[in-house]
Amino acid sequence: MFLLALGLLVGGALGALVAQRSARWATALGVGGAVTGCVAGLIPASRILLGEPSQSLRMTWQVPYGAFFVQIDALSAFFLLPMFGLSALAAVYGAEYMVAHRGERSPAASWFFFDLLVASMAMVVVARNAVLFLVAWEMMALASFFLVTYEDDEESVRQAGWTYLVATHLGTAWLLVLFILLGRGTGSLDFDRFGAASGGGLLFILAVVGFGTKAGFMPFHVWLPEAHPAAPSHVSAVMSGVMIKTGIYGLLRTLTFLGPLPWWAGWLLVAVGVTSGVFGVLLALAQSDLKRLLAYSSVENIGIIALGLGLGLVGMHVGSPALAVLGFGGGLLHVVNHAVFKGLLFLGAGAVLHSARTRTIEELGGLLGRMPWTGIAFLTGAVAVAGLPPLNGFASEFLIYLGAFEGATSLGNAGAVPALVVIAGLAMIGGLAAACFTKAFGVAFLGEPRSEHAAHAREVGPAMRLPMQLLAAACVVIGVASPALVGALAPVLTEVTGLPSASVQAQVMQTAGPLGSVTGCALGLLALVVVVLSLRGRLLGGRPVGEVVTWDCGYLQPSPRMQYTASSFAQPLTDLFGLLLGTRQRLSRPEGFFPEAASLSTETPDICRERVYRPIFSGLGRGLFAFRWLQHGRVQLYILYIALTLLALLLWKLGEA
């Protein structure tokens, strides 16, 4: 069934390419292949998570160092579920979203690479041979590169594609070294031949850098806030929701090869998690571009996942099954939750861009009345990403909190200190995320429109609304049912931790009680709010109710310019963390007794890009410029260079012999 799913995806991709002269046929074949392929892929993944044994296929092939070996086990199935689910919904959404580009460029190439991206992501998580894994990894990177640069007539899009291409290949270089070191003693690159490798600390660092670049760990995240805003919104949803999770999958899969790790491995992931989480949400808070804000929020959520994994590694090192299960369990559950609410938020941002023709928050406002379905869906995603109960974002963060409290109260310094760091980091991230998405929703959807485009915005069509509604419903269902759903994590946790299945099951089920209590309290509070609102409606029924414009603040002639802007809303927090963010302000103060104009705008550059990567790449560029004399356009001299290089390599080889 899984191979059938891959066949449908590849068939849809090729069909879209063949039908490129007809936009309708290309869209129908591309979307049809994506949806049917994803539905077919969900079947084997669901069966294995429900208890069926792993499925595998091993065939000999002409490629050296192993066989064509694929396998779906519990860990692979866990990542395939959100991968196929979100991709199918994004394809349906994209069918209407891409209509706006008809006449400008053919959608055939976009659907070809979209289907290829989904197929390559699925192959990454089932590959059990390093050569096959890296081929799928590169296909995934190239397909997403062409999707990011779909609107390549804009300079910013070409620059984003270039940054992404460089970053992803630098990450792959680290993975290449990792797999060579893992397989050097066995002569095979099949995963089941790796065994427990020596030098686990070095291999762990290679995995963190290589997979962390794809996942968006800070400071390897710089491609992410460039690529996500440049891509079409349904592609951004897939890239942010599930593609970056292949980095988390790769890191978890590598942990199963390495055996016992040194004590600092858990500390390292906790440090990476706190750094990514805090800086990610601070940079998100400072953005005025809605999709860039969501991209930095993904860096924040990857940090939360890293916090959970780090806590789990600490638990493994100190021999605490409870800490290991809760840490890894919280991180894994956040993988699914982030896919759901971040996919929803990117689709919501795409609906805003599709209707209001801008993603600059400063130019929006008042969209809730004009786009009520989109507004409610975006609000649901915003509450979920802020980690508020009873939605799904809360459930995964609650597991990590439980693990951290377990470590802080029952372990010595080796477990208690990182646990306290996790508690402090999560609390800070949660507060800042709530402020960030209050700004995003409040400025974009409430108040009055700040531009003509926002004033004339209209609700999007059913093909774009339905995926958002389903994802919003998933945020609620997963959150409310989380006490019952956490049991499904047991097979995955058994595979990752190597602990006995019964022990993992017992630890997981112990979390259902406190999770259910908090969720129940939140549902009770919501029910009380509904009762109060119903009572208010009955009391006001039949009475005259006046309406005035919002934000009038006592002025006789209020205008939308009197509202809080995104910059002014975030200013107190960006000023508070000014030393870390380096926010630049442009302030035009009101002057005179009857001032006519005043303005405040802010710009927050990425600190890693500005202070780390830009100086390094500028220095490399200046250094390589000194060798420009080698490039002069004479083919015969280039052939001479090749011949001299071959001669040097031959002499070197003869010297070794």
Side-chain angles (χ1 to χ4, degrees):
M1 183 61 79
F2 179 78
L3 294 179
L4 172 64
L6 287 185
L8 289 168
L9 286 165
V10 174
L14 295 175
L17 205 58
V18 169
Q20 59 180 320
R21 292 189 177 181
S22 168
R24 289 183 184 277
W25 273 105
T27 301
L29 291 169
V31 174
V35 173
T36 54
C38 289
V39 171
L42 284 172
I43 296 172
S46 304
R47 284 177 176 171
I48 288 172
L49 282 179
L50 290 174
E52 284 194 5
S54 303
Q55 299 176 3
S56 61
L57 172 68
R58 189 195 291 264
M59 296 189 301
T60 56
W61 62 348
Q62 298 300 317
V63 178
Y65 305 115
F68 179 90
F69 182 22
V70 293
Q71 184 180 46
I72 309 179
D73 57 9
L75 183 58
S76 298
F78 184 81
F79 279 83
L80 284 174
L81 217 56
M83 196 174 283
F84 284 134
L86 181 58
S87 299
L89 293 175
V92 174
Y93 177 98
E96 181 179 332
Y97 182 84
M98 296 298 286
V99 170
H101 294 282
R102 284 184 184 172
E104 299 174 7
R105 49 179 64 83
S106 169
S110 169
W111 287 113
F112 171 76
F113 288 115
F114 183 88
D115 288 5
L116 209 59
L117 171 64
V118 181
S120 54
M121 285 191 300
M123 185 55 82
V124 162
V125 299
V126 301
R128 294 294 182 273
N129 174 274
V131 176
L132 182 61
F133 180 92
L134 289 174
V135 169
W137 189 264
E138 282 298 286
M139 282 179 59
M140 178 177 72
L142 290 175
S144 50
F145 164 75
F146 285 111
L147 287 168
V148 167
T149 55
Y150 180 66
E151 300 177 35
D152 60 356
D153 49 346
E154 296 179 22
E155 172 60 26
S156 61
V157 171
R158 294 196 295 273
Q159 187 62 40
W162 172 247
T163 303
Y164 173 52
L165 200 63
V166 171
T168 191
H169 282 97
L170 286 177
T172 305
W174 288 73
L175 297 184
L176 192 62
V177 177
L178 168 70
F179 286 124
I180 289 173
L181 292 178
L182 280 168
R184 64 177 175 173
T186 63
S188 171
L189 293 179
D190 286 349
F191 287 180
D192 59 349
R193 306 286 169 80
F194 284 162
S198 59
L202 171 64
L203 298 174
F204 179 72
I205 290 175
L206 288 170
V208 168
V209 177
F211 291 119
T213 303
K214 181 66 73 181
F217 287 164
M218 194 167 271
F220 315 119
H221 69 288
V222 287
W223 66 270
L224 203 148
E226 304 297 323
H228 286 3
S233 295
H234 61 295
V235 175
S236 305
V238 171
M239 290 179 68
S240 183
V242 288
M243 192 195 78
I244 62 174
K245 307 298 172 37
T246 56
I248 300 297
Y249 165 80
L251 185 57
L252 285 169
R253 182 63 69 186
T254 306
L255 291 180
T256 64
F257 306 146
L258 300 184
L261 288 169
W263 64 269
W264 50 261
W267 283 78
L268 177 63
L269 274 189
V270 168
V272 167
V274 171
T275 306
S276 300
V278 173
F279 276 91
V281 72
L282 280 175
L283 287 166
L285 185 64
Q287 303 304 313
S288 295
D289 182 314
L290 188 55
K291 289 182 72 176
R292 187 178 289 269
L293 179 152
L294 296 178
Y296 275 115
S297 168
S298 291
V299 177
E300 167 221 333
N301 281 278
I302 285 294
I304 293 174
I305 294 170
L307 280 177
L309 303 189
L311 207 57
L313 280 180
V314 171
M316 296 292 290
H317 178 74
V318 300
S320 168
L323 189 55
V325 167
L326 288 170
F328 282 121
L332 282 166
L333 188 56
H334 206 70
V335 166
V336 175
N337 289 339
H338 180 250
V340 174
F341 60 64
K342 191 49 64 67
L344 168 60
L345 289 168
F346 265 113
L347 296 188
V352 170
L353 174 61
H354 184 81
S355 186
R357 304 294 177 193
T358 180
R359 61 186 195 222
T360 303
I361 303 175
E362 311 282 15
E363 298 175 3
L364 299 173
L367 294 182
L368 187 59
R370 292 160 179 79
M371 305 173 66
W373 289 107
T374 300
I376 292 170
F378 193 93
L379 177 62
T380 307
V383 175
V385 75
L388 298 176
L391 300 190
N392 60 340
F394 166 78
S396 44
E397 292 188 29
F398 186 71
L399 290 189
I400 300 175
Y401 269 121
L402 276 182
F405 280 115
E406 168 71 23
T409 54
S410 63
L411 302 177
N413 290 340
V417 175
L420 290 173
V421 171
V422 169
I423 293 171
L426 263 184
M428 189 171 179
I429 292 167
L432 291 171
C436 176
F437 282 91
T438 301
K439 175 189 104 169
F441 179 78
V443 177
F445 286 91
L446 302 182
E448 298 296 323
R450 295 174 177 80
S451 67
E452 284 297 314
H453 288 309
H456 293 94
R458 293 291 179 269
E459 186 59 272
V460 294
M464 290 175 68
R465 285 204 308 267
L466 180 63
M468 290 191 285
Q469 291 164 349
L470 290 175
L471 288 170
C475 288
V476 178
V477 170
I478 295 175
V480 172
S482 56
L485 292 177
V486 290
L489 294 172
V492 192
L493 291 170
T494 302
E495 191 156 328
V496 172
T497 61
L499 295 169
S501 176
S503 170
V504 171
Q505 188 73 32
Q507 295 292 341
V508 167
M509 296 316 296
Q510 283 182 8
T511 64
L515 188 56
S517 300
V518 178
T519 305
C521 289
L523 285 173
L525 185 60
L526 277 179
L528 182 63
V529 171
V530 171
V531 169
V532 170
L533 289 176
S534 302
L535 186 62
R536 177 180 178 272
R538 293 193 64 177
L539 291 174
L540 292 179
R543 296 184 181 183
V545 178
E547 291 187 0
V548 295
V549 295
T550 53
W551 304 100
D552 60 354
C553 298
Y555 287 91
L556 292 177
Q557 292 182 327
S559 75
R561 293 182 63 250
M562 295 176 182
Q563 303 171 108
Y564 264 105
T565 64
S567 297
S568 57
F569 186 95
Q571 186 192 12
L573 285 170
T574 54
D575 284 354
L576 183 63
F577 295 96
L579 287 177
L580 297 175
L581 293 174
T583 300
R584 302 163 188 154
Q585 287 189 2
R586 288 187 292 275
L587 174 62
S588 173
R589 295 182 182 281
E591 294 181 355
F593 292 109
F594 301 98
E596 294 185 351
S599 65
L600 167 68
S601 63
T602 58
E603 180 189 1
T604 305
D606 191 304
I607 190 171
C608 294
R609 185 184 179 91
E610 292 293 316
R611 299 183 188 177
V612 179
Y613 292 106
R614 193 180 295 280
I616 290 175
F617 280 92
S618 297
L620 283 173
R622 286 193 297 272
L624 292 174
F625 190 79
F627 296 95
R628 198 172 180 182
W629 56 273
L630 289 168
Q631 182 186 2
H632 34 63
R634 297 178 182 174
V635 177
Q636 61 270 33
L637 283 180
Y638 294 155
I639 295 173
L640 177 63
Y641 296 157
I642 295 171
L644 290 175
T645 304
L646 290 174
L647 182 62
L649 290 173
L650 183 62
L651 291 173
W652 176 47
K653 193 67 180 175
L654 287 173
E656 279 191 339

